[in-house]
């Protein structure tokens, strides 16, 4: 046991990868539950819960799982060094979750997750437009190839015209999550993973309470266990993600996020008989390759910038 513990303590990249994979397996499970709640409600003739209401109960119940940590450590454990950055991260996360859950209600899991992988590419373009960051030929080619993969995935939706707007929801959600991810990396340097997770769940619930109060409807009895389960899984997912970013660099951890695609695709096949099309798989692998190339080019750029 001691050699395993020593290896774990002495291998930050292995720890980061393990936490990241565990986190995204949890997120894949949440995706499946959201899809299940929507489809099952329609099958029994009920109106599916709105995305903001699902997100509200998820964060409310997720907070319950973190109460023991707060009680054990006292009120001082809730002090953060960057309150403004926490607010910005929570706002982006809340908007992203609502957009993402809206997409899952209408799109197959594999297709929605694939389009959300465009987030790192959008972040790179935004850094060039707003921060005047140099992209270069290698990174520019990776971005172009990645967006080409996104076009392949979404072409069936746009040709039908029915899901044309829905196809944009995962992309917009990815943009919000990318911004929140960068903020987590900054926060993880001084705030504990438990604190980062607690702030997210604690403040997202009030932010989503008002639309739930005025426009939502009371969940049916069969929906409560699933919402409670989502809360526990969400708390675990955010905690593991914070631990991952506290252990290793974002650029190194990016490829391990692809775990969510394979897990979500498997859930879609087994639970909903949603077999990914050839175009979805092709586009997904193109985007994955582009993201890996982009992260590799970014790592090389940072190394040369310090020389």
């Amino acid at each position: 046991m001691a050699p395993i513990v020593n290896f774990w303590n002495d291998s930050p990249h292995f720890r980061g990868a393990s936490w990241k994979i565990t986190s995204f397996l949890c997120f894949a499970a949440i995706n499946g539950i959201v899809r299940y709640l929507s489809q099952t409600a329609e099958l029994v003739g009920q109106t599916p819960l709105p995305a903001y209401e699902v997100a509200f109960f998820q964060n409310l119940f997720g907070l319950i799982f973190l109460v023991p940590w707060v009680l054990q450590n006292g009120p001082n454990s809730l002090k953060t060094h960057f309150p403004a950055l926490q607010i910005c991260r929570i706002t982006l996360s809340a908007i992203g979750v609502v957009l993402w859950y809206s997409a899952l209600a209408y799109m197959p899991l594999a297709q929605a997750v694939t389009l959300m992988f465009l987030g790192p590419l959008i972040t790179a373009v935004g850094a060039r437009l707003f921060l005047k960051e140099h992209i270069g030929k290698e990174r520019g080619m990776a971005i172009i190839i990645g967006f080409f993969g996104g076009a392949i995935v979404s072409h069936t939706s746009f040709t039908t015209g029915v899901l044309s707007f829905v196809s944009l929801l995962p992309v917009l959600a990815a943009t919000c999550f990318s911004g929140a991810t960068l903020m987590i990396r900054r926060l993880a340097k001084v705030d504990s993973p438990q604190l980062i997770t607690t702030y997210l769940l604690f403040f997202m619930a009030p932010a989503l309470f008002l639309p739930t109060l005025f426009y939502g409807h009371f969940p049916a009895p069969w929906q409560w266990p699933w919402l409670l389960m989502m809360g526990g899984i969400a708390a675990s997912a955010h905690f593991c993600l914070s631990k991952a970013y506290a252990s290793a660099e974002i650029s190194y951890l990016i490829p391990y996020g692809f775990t969510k695609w394979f897990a979500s695709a498997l859930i879609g096949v087994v639970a909903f008989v949603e077999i990914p099309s050839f175009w979805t798989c092709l586009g997904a692998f193109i985007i994955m390759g582009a993201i890996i190339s982009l992260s590799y080019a970014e790592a090389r750029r940072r190394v040369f910038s310090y020389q």
Side-chain angles (χ1 to χ4, degrees):
M1 182 64 69
I4 297 177
V5 174
N6 292 334
F7 175 76
W8 177 265
N9 294 331
D10 297 335
S11 305
H13 287 86
F14 178 79
R15 290 201 312 272
S18 300
W19 286 119
K20 182 72 175 282
I21 292 173
T22 303
S23 172
F24 277 73
L25 288 175
C26 291
F27 282 126
I30 292 174
N31 294 343
I33 294 176
V34 173
R35 185 76 171 150
Y36 172 79
L37 289 174
S38 175
Q39 285 198 352
T40 304
E42 294 177 349
L43 290 175
V44 298
Q46 296 178 347
T47 302
L49 295 175
Y52 48 80
E53 184 172 355
V54 175
F56 165 73
F57 282 112
Q58 170 191 306
N59 287 278
L60 180 64
F61 290 140
L63 186 61
I64 295 175
F65 289 90
L66 294 174
V67 168
W69 176 81
V70 176
L71 295 178
Q72 180 181 359
N73 294 275
N76 290 331
S77 62
L78 297 178
K79 292 183 179 180
T80 178
H81 294 79
F82 300 102
L85 195 61
Q86 290 278 14
I87 294 174
C88 291
R89 179 180 71 99
I90 292 165
T91 302
L92 283 177
S93 298
I95 296 173
V97 167
V98 172
L99 293 171
W100 176 236
Y101 287 179
S102 299
L104 290 177
Y106 299 100
M107 297 181 66
L109 285 174
Q111 187 181 27
V113 173
T114 301
L115 290 175
M116 201 175 70
F117 278 157
L118 293 174
L121 308 178
I122 296 173
T123 301
V125 173
R128 175 66 182 91
L129 295 176
F130 300 105
L131 302 179
K132 307 302 179 183
E133 182 179 300
H134 179 68
I135 290 182
K137 294 182 179 179
E138 188 176 359
R139 299 175 69 208
M141 184 60 65
I143 292 172
I144 293 174
I145 293 175
F147 280 120
F148 176 72
I152 291 177
V153 175
S154 61
H155 87 284
T156 54
S157 298
F158 282 102
T159 53
T160 59
V162 177
L163 296 178
S164 57
F165 174 74
V166 176
S167 297
L168 296 177
L169 294 177
V171 180
L172 296 175
T175 305
C176 295
F177 290 143
S178 296
T181 297
L182 294 175
M183 295 177 188
I184 290 176
R185 181 60 180 172
R186 179 69 180 92
L187 291 167
K189 293 182 179 180
V190 291
D191 289 345
S192 68
Q194 293 91 337
L195 176 61
I196 294 174
T197 306
T198 301
Y199 260 82
L200 180 67
L201 299 179
F202 186 81
F203 289 102
M204 273 188 65
L208 297 168
F209 174 69
L210 288 180
T212 300
L213 178 64
F214 291 105
Y215 303 105
H217 53 270
F218 199 75
W222 65 270
Q223 293 172 326
W224 286 109
W226 292 103
L227 294 172
L228 180 62
M229 188 186 306
M230 284 183 64
I233 297 175
S236 301
H238 289 295
F239 173 77
C240 292
L241 190 61
S242 299
K243 294 283 286 185
Y245 290 137
S247 302
E249 299 82 4
I250 289 180
S251 58
Y252 170 78
L253 294 173
I254 283 177
Y256 295 99
F258 301 147
T259 303
K260 183 166 60 175
W261 188 86
F262 292 100
S264 297
L266 180 61
I267 292 174
V269 172
V270 175
F272 310 109
V273 198
E274 296 176 350
I275 301 177
S277 67
F278 167 78
W279 297 109
T280 296
C281 294
L282 176 62
F285 291 127
I286 290 176
I287 294 175
M288 291 179 193
I291 292 175
I292 293 175
S293 299
L294 184 66
S295 60
Y296 176 72
E298 175 65 17
R300 288 182 56 191
R301 184 182 69 85
R302 291 180 178 178
V303 170
F304 288 130
S305 65
Y306 289 115
Q307 293 180 349

